[in-house]
Amino acid sequence: MRPIVIVGAGIAGLALAAALQRRGAPVLVLEAHDRLSTAGAGISLWPNALAALDEIGLGAPVREAGGAAISGGIRRADGRWLRHVDPARAQAALGEPVVAIHRADLLAILASVVDAGAIRFATKVEQIAPSTSEVTVGMADGSSLAARAVVGADGVGSVAARHLNPRVARRYAGYTAWRGIAEHNLRGIEPSQTWGPGGEFGFLPMGPHRTYWFATQHAPEGQRREPERELAHLSRIYANWHPPIGELIEATEPGNLLRHDVHDRPAARTWSAGPVTLIGDAAHPMRPHLGQGGCQALIDAVVLARLIAQADTLPAAFAQFAARRRGDTGRAIRTSAILGSVIHSRGPLRPLLHALAGVTPQVVAVRAMATIAGRHAFPAP
């Protein structure tokens, strides 16, 4: 039987491969790079994503490889709380703590349950051509193969998304993002997110001796420097922000820092057509402020595998997937975009908008986050 071809060996693609192989479906993952990414950055997995990993038997190893915590809320740059969240109340609403894990460790765990021969590296997909009986996948080297169906899990610049949506285009959000891993023990300091001039800074423990942190700031597009210079630049930007922000930057090795300009695009108008569909950022890219990009990709993969097992045909499963997932991902996209606009607001309105976000009642804020990211937000079978 011809395989289901998955374009991209990132979080979405590997999770789908793992979920489909668990159900006995033949898959082939095509990855443009020559190996899995080992980039030195972390990712936060909320309870909705952990529930998805539990369904495919990988929740336990992911929790073991990462660090669990609940954020205390939002601070000002001087350390005062804009909104403090009681960790016990947040955990009760969410269902369990958030897990911060090295992205490379997550990819390795996902890949560990995928047959080695089912991942083909250094294979860049350039064309997707469906016919009545199969899909021809064309590669950059001129080769091609036949597939039962194609799932585009190839990110915001997706070839598969452009096949289904020829006019889709990325756009720069106006700010850049850094993600780092510091060799630093928080020593009882509550994890939090800080909003200040030009952007934000947040951190979570990644086990007893490491801390995952992230930051965003207004910046012109395309200014990425060497990691050592980026760390010096960050030390200047955050010099007057509250502890332990400066300590975290200082404790970060250059190899454990990533910078990416924040790009997004509208969610694809067409997610599926016949034997081709999209998941993860290929279907619905979102800004990073909720920590839901990777989480929603994991949920996409598990839900799609479930629907493939239940449906009579792959096109029917793909159509059902698009119909079911648009609402949940749309809510996360809108909320993250609103948060980004508030965090990165400029001029005299910035303090007012930050203050208004801070007066939202704790119970309302926790309930809203649980609706998007709590364990019960993972769709039941």
Side-chain angles (χ1 to χ4, degrees):
M1 180 183 293
R2 293 189 180 97
I4 297 171
V5 164
I6 301 167
V7 185
I11 292 171
L14 291 176
L16 179 60
L20 287 174
Q21 284 198 340
R22 185 179 174 90
R23 295 177 178 273
V27 299
L28 177 61
V29 182
L30 304 180
E31 169 56 43
H33 295 95
D34 60 4
R35 58 183 172 178
L36 293 179
S37 172
T38 57
I43 182 172
S44 53
L45 297 176
W46 288 72
N48 57 348
L50 295 170
L53 288 164
D54 285 337
E55 183 164 318
I56 59 175
L58 296 177
V62 166
R63 291 180 182 89
E64 184 176 348
I70 290 287
S71 173
I74 304 169
R75 293 182 185 268
R76 303 174 192 267
D78 61 8
R80 289 180 297 164
W81 290 101
L82 267 172
R83 181 173 66 235
H84 187 256
V85 177
D86 176 58
R89 172 178 284 180
Q91 181 164 328
L94 292 169
E96 65 176 302
V98 178
V99 170
I101 184 173
H102 198 297
R103 186 177 291 265
D105 291 342
L106 175 59
L107 292 177
I109 290 168
L110 294 170
S112 70
V113 295
V114 178
D115 294 343
I119 305 175
R120 189 178 297 177
F121 293 103
T123 307
K124 184 179 180 181
V125 173
E126 288 196 340
Q127 291 184 324
I128 297 170
S131 67
T132 55
S133 59
E134 63 185 30
V135 184
T136 301
V137 181
M139 267 60 79
D141 63 4
S143 64
S144 63
L145 59 84
R148 290 173 64 203
V150 170
V151 179
D154 46 341
V156 68
S158 169
V159 171
R162 290 198 302 273
H163 165 75
L164 295 177
N165 304 267
R167 296 183 180 179
V168 70
R170 299 197 307 171
R171 61 193 175 195
Y172 182 48
Y175 47 92
T176 194
W178 294 268
R179 290 172 292 155
I181 297 172
E183 298 297 324
H184 183 87
N185 188 324
L186 291 175
R187 293 184 291 275
I189 296 173
E190 254 186 301
S192 63
Q193 186 178 1
T194 300
W195 296 358
E200 65 184 320
F201 194 103
F203 56 90
L204 286 168
M206 260 180 63
H209 305 297
R210 296 193 299 174
T211 299
Y212 162 57
W213 59 265
F214 57 90
T216 63
Q217 281 283 329
H218 282 293
E221 187 176 7
Q223 288 196 332
R224 188 162 58 180
R225 309 166 180 84
E226 293 299 316
E228 293 88 349
R229 294 178 59 208
E230 291 290 359
L231 287 168
H233 176 67
L234 288 166
S235 292
R236 290 191 296 271
I237 290 175
Y238 295 104
N240 296 320
W241 291 40
H242 67 82
I245 290 174
E247 297 169 39
L248 291 174
I249 295 169
E250 176 106 10
T252 302
E253 294 293 331
N256 285 330
L257 178 71
L258 290 179
R259 174 179 175 170
H260 292 102
D261 288 337
V262 176
H263 290 90
D264 67 2
R265 58 171 172 78
R269 182 180 296 274
T270 301
W271 284 25
S272 66
V276 180
T277 198
L278 310 172
I279 63 173
D281 283 348
H284 48 73
M286 61 187 72
R287 299 187 186 186
H289 310 290
L290 285 179
Q292 279 295 299
C295 296
Q296 296 295 327
L298 287 166
I299 295 170
D300 281 353
V302 175
V303 170
L304 179 57
R306 191 193 289 165
L307 292 171
I308 288 172
Q310 296 168 353
D312 293 333
T313 67
L314 289 172
F318 292 172
Q320 291 170 18
F321 168 78
R324 292 189 185 185
R325 291 292 292 147
R326 275 189 184 276
D328 289 346
T329 57
R331 188 181 305 115
I333 289 168
R334 290 190 297 273
T335 305
S336 187
I338 291 168
L339 267 179
S341 297
V342 171
I343 292 167
H344 295 96
S345 55
R346 302 195 193 198
L349 280 180
R350 179 181 60 80
L352 175 61
L353 290 173
H354 286 196
L356 287 174
V359 300
T360 303
Q362 182 178 148
V363 64
V364 174
V366 169
R367 186 183 299 129
M369 195 61 205
T371 300
I372 293 172
R375 191 171 178 88
H376 67 273
F378 174 63

